[in-house]
């Protein structure tokens, strides 16, 4: 019999009931909540007269609607200018209070994007099943956890039963061999993978990321990679536990300590695929072949290396793809054959659950240090992923570097990633963004998002257009 | 939850690949704390000429004449015909809520994003995946005949065209059972409360750090 994959092990460790019809009841260890997808779930509990099954499984934090402007932020919930956003954040506070759920609220220094806060607090740990009403819950798989997004009905289901009804996914191994060249980061790897397999390539699969490149990534980098599993069509992505994982988890607020830590480590050491495990599909990329990536279109799979040129629809045979390419070129205001480096960056956004951790901010700061944002750039935001990331960055003086270069230093939250608060693009504006989605209107109606790494976004801020950060120093 | 057994309805087109959840229901409407009333804002950015705001009366907004679902021949459509990777993007259940509130009972496409697919079943909306060539054929038949309807039969797992052709589709047994009977998932799971407690006890011994840390 073939050995088990990491996903197989995580699945089996949480299997409550296997049913004859192929579905299974899976136990959920950790449930994270935010203000956008939870109100209707709490309402459902109320209507049915139900209580949370296990309150210590839950942790809530508002992020999507939270203002990132310091002045507006200083007023707490009451200070949120948009009344609809305020109501949503207030509703989360009220529901957590009513159902006795621990919340890291807007005034808490630990507040931030739920996918940054979970691992940072040790609320998500290796070997856990982790869910949240948010598709980027895949991020937490970086710790060797089984983590995926769920809809609001499932949020209610988890609150009420601590379980989900699931069918097992197939196993996909994405292996990145070799080494990354200087200036190439986890974000570029994630985008290159999506470029390779497409936005539906992972549909129906649980992805495990492996290979020398992945082993060599920090936890921050692994989180960036797993974060974008959903853009590759997979609900979940994961990385096996190793010393990097353990070093990251040790000492975090909600992580086990003392004897329990040793016991946990012994269990976590088993969280990897067996040598003889068989995957339903394997995709291999070579690290050295990956260049810094930039998306040119309106789907994350519309991605090219920085030295690429925008595709020509006339050369695409498949009619659906050709139509999609034509539409994307019109929306993005680009011409077939145009060089990626000719695309302007009207705005720059460094942040989101993909790239707002300390390492991301360090990488961006290293690029802008001692330089100035180009005069043509209307706005450049740096939005740390959490209050603790912000503190750390300030302790290292990164905020000064950004401010001196002409970037804005903000309070933590989702911010311009989805433009639910005041941070957004105007029609036709091109944005160098470290977020994860470049859909039409994602960052504001008519806005044109180009997904890049933090270093690439920083270089675009300085140059006013996209540039190859890996050769940029000499230029 | 509404049950779904057999549905016959007018077919409307969403003829592009990778329709994401932002397109189905733009984020400004996610600020609602209710689960109803999203229909008028379904496909908002494609459907209207102006920028939609929550709480607005949509009946007086300028419609985009180029958006196919705005054409008179598709008014009252309850079966949405779409292309590959429909519903990609966020996990927001607002997407199936909006489609449902608009009046759709079924979406037919070559493929769906996983979370969206799953969310549909929770809301009595049936996603049907058919091979791309069959979807293409349905598109052609629909464009050729005004008033084109399809019958979607969940118990027999097939889509029946006006000429009587039948296209079979897959659906997993548990989801089918719940949808056919309009069952409340939570109630069903709670019937297994004893197994959950037994599992929890075992799990607590094996992984005590999972419990009690967040208080
Ligand atoms: S940062 Fe963006 S992708 Fe991440 S949770 Fe917030 S809105 Fe979603």
């Amino acid at each position: 019999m073939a050995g088990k994959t990491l996903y197989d092990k995580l699945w089996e460790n949480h299997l409550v009931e296997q049913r004859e019809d192929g579905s299974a009841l899976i136990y959920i260890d950790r449930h994270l909540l935010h203000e956008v997808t939870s109100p209707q779930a709490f309402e459902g509990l109320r209507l049915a007269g139900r209580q949370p099954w296990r309150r210590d499984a839950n942790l809530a934090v508002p992020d999507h609607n939270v203002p990132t402007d310091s002045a507006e932020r200083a007023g707490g919930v009451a200070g949120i200018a948009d009344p609809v956003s305020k109501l949503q954040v207030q509703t989360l506070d009220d529901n957590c209070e009513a159902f006795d759920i621990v919340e890291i609220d807007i005034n808490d220094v630990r507040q931030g994007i739920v996918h940054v806060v979970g691992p940072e607090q040790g609320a998500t740990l290796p070997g856990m099943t982790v869910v949240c009403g948010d598709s980027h819950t895949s991020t937490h798989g970086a710790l060797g956890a089984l983590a995926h997004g769920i809809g609001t009905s499932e949020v209610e289901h988890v609150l009420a039963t601590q379980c989900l009804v699931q069918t097992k996914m197939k196993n996909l191994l994405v292996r990145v061999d070799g080494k990354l060249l200087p200036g190439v980061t986890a974000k570029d790897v994630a985008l290159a993978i999506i470029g390779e397999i497409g936005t539906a390539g992972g549909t129906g699969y649980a992805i495990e990321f492996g290979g020398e490149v992945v082993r060599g990534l920090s936890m921050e980098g692994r989180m960036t990679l797993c974060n974008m599993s959903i853009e590759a069509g997979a609900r979940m992505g994961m990385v096996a536990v190793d010393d990097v994982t353990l070093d990251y988890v040790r000492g975090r607020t909600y992580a086990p300590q003392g004897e329990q830590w040793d016991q946990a480590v012994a269990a976590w050491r088993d969280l990897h695929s067996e040598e003889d495990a068989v995957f339903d599909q394997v995709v291999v990329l070579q690290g050295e072949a990956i260049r810094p990536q930039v998306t040119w279109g309106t789907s994350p799979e519309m991605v090219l290396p920085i030295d690429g040129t925008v595709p020509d629809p006339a050369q695409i045979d498949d009619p659906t793809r050709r139509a999609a390419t034509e539409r994307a070129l019109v929306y993005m205001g680009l011409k077939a054959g145009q060089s990626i480096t000719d695309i302007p960056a009207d705005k720059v956004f460094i942040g989101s659950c993909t790239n707002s951790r300390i390492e991301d901010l360090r990488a961006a700061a290293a690029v802008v240090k001692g330089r100035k944002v180009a005069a043509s750039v209307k706005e450049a935001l740096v939005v740390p992923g959490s209050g603790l990331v912000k503190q750390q960055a300030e302790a290292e003086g990164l905020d000064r570097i950004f401010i001196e270069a002409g970037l804005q230093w903000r309070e933590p939250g989702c911010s311009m990633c989805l433009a639910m608060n005041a941070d957004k693009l105007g029609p036709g504006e091109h944005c160098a963004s470290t977020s994860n989605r470049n859909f039409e209107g994602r960052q504001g109606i008519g806005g044109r998002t180009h997904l890049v790494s933090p270093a690439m976004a920083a270089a675009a801020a300085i140059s006013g257009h996209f540039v190859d950060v890996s050769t940029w120093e000499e230029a | 939850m509404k049950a779904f057994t057999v549905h016959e309805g007018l077919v409307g087109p969403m003829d592009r690949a990778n329709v994401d959840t932002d397109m189905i229901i733009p984020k400004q409407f996610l600020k609602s704390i209710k689960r109803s009333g999203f229909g008028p804002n379904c496909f908002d950015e494609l459907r209207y000429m102006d920028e939609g705001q929550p709480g607005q009366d949509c009946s007086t907004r300028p419609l985009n004449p180029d958006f196919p679902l705005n054409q008179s021949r598709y008014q009252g459509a309850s079966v949405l015909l779409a292309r590959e990777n429909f519903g990609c993007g966020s996990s927001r259940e607002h997407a199936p809520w909006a489609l449902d509130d608009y009046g759709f009972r079924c979406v037919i496409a070559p493929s769906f994003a996983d979370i969206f697919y799953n969310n549909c079943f929770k809301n009595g909306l049936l996603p049907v995946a058919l091979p791309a060539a069959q979807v293409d054929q349905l598109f052609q038949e629909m464009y050729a005949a005004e008033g084109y309807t399809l019958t979607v039969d969940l118990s027999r797992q097939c889509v029946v065209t006006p000429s009587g052709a039948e296209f079979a589709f897959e659906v997993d047994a548990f989801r089918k059972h719940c949808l056919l009977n309009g069952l409340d998932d939570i109630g069903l799971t709670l019937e297994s409360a004893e197994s959950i407690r037994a599992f929890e006890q075992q799990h607590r011994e094996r992984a005590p750090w999972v419990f009690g840390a967040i208080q």
Side-chain angles (χ1 to χ4, degrees):
Chain A
M1 216 181 80
K4 290 172 189 164
T5 64
L6 171 58
Y7 172 60
D8 296 339
K9 291 179 181 177
L10 292 167
W11 174 270
E12 283 170 20
N13 288 346
H14 294 88
L15 186 62
V16 176
E17 262 178 26
Q18 178 63 56
R19 294 167 176 172
E20 273 171 27
D21 61 13
S23 69
L25 204 57
I26 294 294
Y27 189 81
I28 303 303
D29 294 327
R30 183 69 69 231
H31 182 208
L32 303 168
L33 299 113
H34 66 79
E35 79 279 19
V36 181
T37 53
S38 65
Q40 296 89 348
F42 282 113
E43 191 56 28
L45 282 190
R46 240 181 232 114
L47 288 173
R50 290 176 175 132
Q51 284 295 318
W53 177 277
R54 180 161 78 78
R55 60 177 290 274
D56 66 299
N58 303 289
L59 182 65
V61 56
D63 53 6
H64 286 62
N65 283 283
V66 162
T68 63
D69 176 82
S70 312
E72 188 180 348
R73 181 58 168 270
V77 183
I80 303 178
D82 177 348
V84 200
S85 291
K86 188 199 297 187
L87 176 63
Q88 220 170 38
V89 176
Q90 183 64 52
T91 304
L92 181 66
D93 289 356
D94 295 347
N95 281 326
C96 288
E97 169 97 37
F99 289 96
D100 197 20
I101 283 171
V102 176
E103 185 195 10
I104 296 178
D105 69 18
I106 186 170
N107 302 316
D108 195 311
V109 65
R110 300 171 301 160
Q111 183 275 340
I113 305 169
V114 63
H115 309 308
V116 175
V117 172
E120 186 173 77
Q121 291 301 311
T124 53
L125 295 170
M128 277 185 167
T129 40
V130 180
V131 296
C132 172
D134 190 286
S135 57
H136 290 102
T137 310
S138 56
T139 311
H140 309 257
L143 287 104
L146 182 58
H148 61 86
I150 55 178
T152 297
S153 297
E154 287 180 318
V155 170
E156 184 182 340
H157 195 281
V158 172
L159 281 167
T161 70
Q162 212 53 53
C163 290
L164 280 177
V165 179
Q166 305 248 276
T167 26
K168 200 169 173 210
M169 301 274 169
K170 289 179 287 180
N171 281 290
L172 166 62
L173 174 65
V174 175
R175 211 178 71 211
V176 189
D177 291 339
K179 291 216 157 34
L180 295 180
L181 298 177
V184 178
T185 67
K187 179 63 164 285
D188 302 300
V189 176
L191 288 169
I193 291 169
I194 296 163
E196 176 87 17
I197 70 173
T199 47
T203 305
Y205 290 97
I207 301 182
E208 178 174 346
F209 297 101
E212 202 185 330
V213 164
V214 177
R215 297 257 65 84
L217 290 177
S218 65
M219 275 319 286
E220 279 94 341
R222 294 176 188 184
M223 286 190 238
T224 301
L225 192 56
C226 290
N227 175 273
M228 291 195 74
S229 307
I230 188 75
E231 275 68 44
R235 291 182 82 169
M236 53 195 108
M238 59 199 87
V239 175
V241 171
D242 59 12
D243 288 337
V244 176
T245 324
L246 300 177
D247 289 343
Y248 177 89
V249 172
R250 190 179 292 111
R252 306 226 164 233
T253 310
Y254 298 126
Q257 282 160 20
E259 227 171 273
Q260 213 172 64
W261 169 259
D262 299 333
Q263 190 189 347
V265 168
W268 294 343
R269 288 274 182 209
D270 184 50
L271 297 174
H272 55 81
S273 293
E274 299 301 330
E275 288 285 339
D276 58 344
V278 177
F279 288 82
D280 298 286
Q281 205 192 323
V282 180
V283 173
V284 183
L285 277 79
Q286 196 59 39
E288 290 81 359
I290 301 174
R291 308 271 304 119
Q293 306 277 307
V294 182
T295 64
W296 59 268
T298 51
S299 163
E301 69 189 7
M302 295 174 169
V303 65
L304 285 167
I306 179 68
D307 52 354
T309 53
V310 175
D312 183 357
Q315 302 192 351
I316 300 172
D317 290 335
D318 177 64
T320 313
R321 269 194 56 219
R322 186 169 56 231
T325 304
E326 279 166 359
R327 187 180 286 125
L329 288 182
V330 172
Y331 182 85
M332 297 298 289
L334 299 174
K335 292 189 299 290
Q338 185 175 351
S339 295
I340 293 288
T341 48
D342 286 344
I343 302 173
D346 303 312
K347 288 192 174 169
V348 174
F349 170 59
I350 298 171
S352 89
C353 58
T354 315
N355 284 124
S356 64
R357 297 175 183 82
I358 190 67
E359 198 172 274
D360 302 315
L361 303 188
R362 284 181 191 138
V367 172
V368 304
K369 187 169 186 179
R371 304 178 199 236
K372 290 278 181 227
V373 170
S376 60
V377 173
K378 297 182 209 165
E379 190 174 43
L381 300 187
V382 186
V383 186
S386 73
L388 295 181
V389 169
K390 181 168 186 261
Q391 265 186 354
Q392 173 71 26
E394 288 174 354
E396 296 178 19
L398 304 185
D399 58 326
R400 301 301 330 153
I401 295 174
F402 287 124
I403 293 166
E404 274 157 27
L407 293 100
Q408 300 179 38
W409 180 242
R410 295 295 189 97
E411 299 295 324
C414 292
S415 181
M416 209 198 270
C417 175
L418 92 168
M420 265 187 86
N421 66 4
D423 312 331
K424 52 180 81 161
L425 298 182
E429 286 175 348
H430 290 271
C431 179
S433 179
T434 66
S435 55
N436 44 46
R437 287 191 176 138
N438 53 348
F439 300 150
E440 288 184 19
R442 170 76 177 180
Q443 294 187 286
I445 291 179
R448 295 162 171 169
T449 302
H450 300 273
L451 303 176
V452 287
S453 72
M456 285 286 284
I462 302 299
S463 309
H465 59 89
F466 292 91
V467 282
D468 185 349
V469 74
S470 66
T471 56
W472 188 62
E473 293 300 328
E474 302 90 63
Chain B
M1 188 180 73
K2 277 196 294 248
F4 188 112
T5 48
V6 183
H7 175 77
E8 187 190 350
L10 183 70
V11 184
M14 187 64 210
D15 197 352
R16 51 154 105 184
N18 298 316
V19 169
D20 62 77
T21 53
D22 276 318
M23 231 179 262
I24 300 172
I25 182 82
K27 67 218 139 227
Q28 63 268 37
F29 305 106
L30 269 54
K31 293 182 184 178
S32 168
I33 54 172
K34 299 200 291 273
R35 53 167 93 211
S36 56
F38 294 102
N41 301 110
C42 186
F43 300 123
D44 199 278
E45 282 172 26
L46 302 169
R47 193 167 153 193
Y48 301 100
M49 301 300 284
D50 62 344
E51 183 175 336
Q53 294 307 328
Q56 188 185 19
D57 173 13
C58 292
S59 63
T60 58
R61 294 174 59 197
L63 292 173
N64 177 359
D66 296 335
F67 182 56
L69 288 173
N70 284 341
Q71 294 169 21
S72 60
R73 62 177 288 194
Y74 299 122
Q75 296 317 300
S78 59
V79 176
L80 184 65
L81 197 54
R83 297 289 183 181
E84 66 197 23
N85 201 26
F86 187 84
C88 59
S90 89
S91 67
R92 68 186 68 155
E93 206 155 310
H94 309 66
W97 295 337
L99 291 165
D100 173 73
D101 203 52
Y102 182 99
F104 292 115
R105 297 298 326 273
C106 174
V107 185
I108 301 175
S111 58
F112 293 90
D114 282 335
I115 301 181
F116 173 82
Y117 184 80
N118 195 37
N119 284 341
C120 285
F121 284 94
K122 312 281 181 196
N123 294 282
L125 180 70
L126 177 64
V128 169
L130 291 178
Q134 291 178 2
V135 171
D136 221 39
Q137 183 185 333
L138 294 178
F139 264 106
Q140 283 168 26
E141 290 183 9
M142 175 196 62
Y143 286 135
E146 207 170 318
Y148 185 79
T149 61
L150 285 171
T151 301
V152 183
D153 187 334
L154 177 58
S155 34
R156 290 175 52 229
Q157 294 184 216
C158 65
V159 174
V160 189
T161 73
S163 64
E166 294 198 354
F167 297 143
F169 62 86
E170 295 285 322
V171 55
D172 78 49
F174 177 74
R175 285 176 171 144
K176 178 177 172 180
H177 172 71
C178 289
L179 198 49
L180 279 176
N181 300 292
L183 295 177
D184 162 24
D185 278 26
I186 297 181
L188 276 182
T189 298
L190 286 173
E191 286 175 18
S192 298
E194 250 175 68
S195 322
I196 302 173
R197 274 196 208 95
F199 173 88
E200 208 164 43
Q201 202 176 345
Q202 242 184 56
H203 196 44
R204 194 185 288 272
E205 277 160 33
R206 199 175 42 196
W209 54 87
V210 166
F211 298 82
I214 298 178
Q215 287 293 349

